[in-house]
């Protein structure tokens, strides 16, 4: 269905189907454990409890430093679409970002491209190929990975390089799950 085709009747029908909104809100809060919700995020979670609420869902597989740029585009698109539906129909529409971390593709989850003085842009894949069948959700930042990630951040340049490096160092701290690091990086945009 196209966004322009979403109307009040569609929202009323959808609001009577699907999972418990209360349970969904509980799962979202649980998944964001340890993160401070912004006022907008808290308002949207409260609205999810409304009997006539609907959701606009998108998601992404875990990716190093927040994953590919289109991850942010997907988040922004879900937020904007939810706002349009709410304004057009009067039904609270809540954007929900689904984090895919149940697969085993550790290479893809721990692979990115970074600025490089020598190469312009260089591939960066700090995963040491250990435990290839372990789910991404079960992986944690160990000392070797933390060291490799911290070392790569020295390549960042620009006016926000220092604050971005610090934020990423905190997100990818020792013992943190790969999923929680990804969520920490993206939390302000969700």
């Amino acid at each position: 269905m196209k966004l322009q085709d979403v109307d009040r009747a569609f929202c009323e029908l959808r609001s009577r189907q699907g999972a418990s909104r209360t349970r969904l809100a509980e799962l979202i809060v649980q998944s964001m454990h340890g993160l401070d919700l912004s006022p907008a995020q808290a308002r949207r979670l409260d609205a999810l409890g409304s009997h006539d609420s609907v959701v606009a869902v998108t998601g992404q597989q875990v990716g190093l430093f927040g994953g590919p740029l289109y991850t942010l585009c997907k988040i922004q698109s879900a937020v904007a679409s939810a706002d349009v539906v709410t304004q057009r129909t009067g039904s609270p529409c809540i954007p929900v970002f689904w984090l895919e971390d149940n697969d085993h593709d550790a290479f893809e989850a721990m692979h990115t491209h970074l600025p490089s003085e020598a190469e312009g842009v260089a591939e960066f894949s700090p995963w040491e190929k250990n435990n290839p069948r372990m789910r991404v959700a079960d992986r944690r930042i160990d000392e070797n990975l933390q060291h490799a990630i911290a070392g790569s951040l020295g390549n960042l340049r620009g006016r926000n390089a220092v604050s971005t490096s610090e934020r990423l160092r905190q997100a990818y701290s020792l013992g943190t799950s790969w999923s929680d690091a990804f969520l920490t990086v993206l939390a302000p945009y969700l």
Side-chain angles (χ1 to χ4, degrees):
M1 173 172 266
K2 295 180 181 177
L3 182 60
Q4 63 264 22
D5 297 331
V6 175
D7 59 12
R8 180 75 183 157
F10 174 82
C11 290
E12 286 175 3
L13 176 67
R14 295 300 302 176
S15 71
R16 292 189 301 268
Q17 301 170 338
S20 160
R21 279 141 187 80
T22 303
R23 180 67 179 133
L24 180 57
E26 289 170 0
L27 290 170
I28 291 169
V29 169
Q30 181 183 11
S31 72
M32 296 184 76
H33 63 278
L35 298 174
D36 293 327
L37 296 178
S38 72
Q41 290 167 330
R43 276 192 310 276
R44 289 183 191 266
L45 277 175
D46 286 343
L48 187 56
S50 175
H51 72 281
D52 63 340
S53 66
V54 292
V55 295
V57 180
T58 190
Q60 181 62 39
Q61 179 181 4
V62 171
L64 184 59
F65 302 146
L69 181 58
Y70 64 78
T71 303
L72 292 175
C73 294
K74 290 167 80 172
I75 292 168
Q76 179 54 38
S77 177
V79 171
S81 296
D83 289 344
V84 166
V85 169
T86 299
Q87 291 168 3
R88 184 183 310 137
T89 67
S91 293
C93 186
I94 295 81
V96 174
F97 184 81
W98 174 60
L99 175 65
E100 171 50 54
D101 62 356
N102 200 29
D103 68 11
H104 300 85
D105 196 347
F107 175 77
E108 188 173 31
M110 200 52 67
H111 179 263
T112 195
H113 293 82
L114 292 172
S116 167
E117 288 186 33
E119 302 171 50
V121 175
E123 284 190 51
F124 178 61
S125 303
W127 176 54
E128 296 176 335
K129 298 180 180 56
N130 55 349
N131 302 317
R133 297 302 304 157
M134 180 186 287
R135 292 180 326 140
V136 169
D138 298 328
R139 294 184 176 277
R140 301 227 170 253
I141 306 298
D142 62 21
E143 288 181 12
N144 292 335
L145 193 54
Q146 184 185 35
H147 183 15
I149 288 170
S152 74
L153 298 176
N155 293 323
L156 297 181
R157 299 285 182 263
R159 68 179 184 176
N160 296 315
V162 172
S163 62
T164 299
S165 293
E166 181 55 32
R167 191 162 167 255
L168 291 171
R169 277 188 187 91
Q170 288 175 359
Y172 289 89
S173 61
L174 187 63
T176 301
S177 75
W178 291 15
S179 301
D180 284 348
F182 179 78
L183 184 59
T184 298
V185 171
L186 293 177
Y189 311 105
L190 300 174

